[in-house]
Amino acid sequence: MQPTYEGQNGDSTGYITKPYTTVQAAIDAIGASETEKAYIYVMDDVEIPETLNWENAPKLKSLTIQTSLYDKIGPMRVSDDPGYYGTHPNDMQNNVVKKLKRSAGFHGDTHELINVPKDVALTLTNITIEGNKSALDEAGKKLTGALIKVDGQLNLKAGVSLTGNKVYSKVEPDSSGQEEVILPVASAIDMGKNGKVVANAGTGT
């Protein structure tokens, strides 16, 4: 998955020289194939403009998102001639970790970056999930949604960082019309009633 892919090698298919340009498009394509277990390899930092969801992938039960082994393709062009599958971008440099980052325009009530539904397992490895706190603060925007809402299972592996997500309380009318302060959810992981987190590694700030 590479947000800057310009289609020079044809329509996105998920192959490393024809990557999808958004994480949601990759999830939707996985859903269209009715795959139950899949991987999304992130070739470059990407902004997330809305909650990632499984609505178009009802059969997807296990998804792993991680930094790609290959760097972004840039202007690289390939053909469908014999040898095509031997052509690929440069290897990713050592110790590079790509980001899924909240778009500065994505804020408001209960706007988590990723929603892990019931009966689905999401595994994160060698990836940063970034709340973009500085951009939202600069724009004067407030947020009440965590980075990840977990109703299924979240697996945190080596090289994972959950960072930069600042949440606020909000005021809503109660049943009698009086204002009621609703405390914010956790900034990193919002656990649903049946949610589960398995953390073998990872950091949070």
Side-chain angles (χ1 to χ4, degrees):
M1 190 244 94
Q2 178 188 316
T4 56
Y5 175 59
E6 297 181 346
Q8 69 268 27
N9 299 320
D11 293 340
S12 297
T13 64
Y15 185 62
I16 54 176
T17 54
K18 297 182 178 182
Y20 291 105
T21 57
T22 69
V23 179
Q24 189 63 60
I27 294 173
D28 291 348
I30 292 167
S33 70
E34 299 189 340
T35 301
E36 293 187 1
K37 183 176 183 178
Y39 294 78
I40 294 177
Y41 295 96
V42 180
M43 303 170 79
D44 201 5
D45 295 345
V46 57
E47 290 197 350
I48 306 298
E50 59 184 0
T51 302
L52 299 177
N53 67 81
W54 272 247
E55 292 177 5
N56 293 324
K59 293 190 177 181
L60 179 58
K61 301 302 180 185
S62 174
L63 176 65
T64 297
I65 300 177
Q66 68 181 75
T67 296
S68 173
L69 299 176
Y70 297 105
D71 204 349
K72 55 184 179 294
I73 66 172
M76 177 183 179
R77 292 179 179 272
V78 297
S79 69
D80 288 318
D81 296 332
Y84 168 74
Y85 289 100
T87 304
H88 56 72
N90 294 327
D91 292 346
M92 191 70 73
Q93 294 182 13
N94 291 336
N95 301 318
V96 168
V97 177
K98 296 303 182 181
K99 292 181 180 180
L100 304 187
K101 184 177 182 179
R102 181 186 298 278
S103 169
F106 182 28
H107 51 79
D109 291 347
T110 61
H111 286 172
E112 62 271 5
L113 278 188
I114 305 173
N115 182 8
V116 185
K118 181 182 177 182
D119 297 326
V120 169
L122 172 66
T123 299
L124 300 175
T125 181
N126 200 37
I127 195 82
T128 293
I129 311 298
E130 162 67 56
N132 205 5
K133 172 186 174 296
S134 60
L136 268 65
D137 282 352
E138 184 177 344
K141 304 299 183 182
K142 291 189 175 182
L143 179 72
T144 60
L147 286 174
I148 307 173
K149 173 67 181 297
V150 181
D151 291 307
Q153 179 168 322
L154 174 64
N155 302 314
L156 300 177
K157 301 293 187 179
V160 173
S161 178
L162 308 179
T163 186
N165 200 61
K166 184 178 181 180
V167 293
Y168 295 83
S169 60
K170 59 182 178 178
V171 177
E172 292 184 346
D174 61 18
S175 57
S176 65
Q178 299 296 313
E179 288 189 343
E180 177 184 14
V181 175
I182 311 251
L183 296 177
V185 299
S187 61
I189 301 172
D190 181 12
M191 294 294 296
K193 180 179 179 181
N194 297 309
K196 180 180 180 180
V197 173
V198 179
N200 299 113
T203 63
T205 57

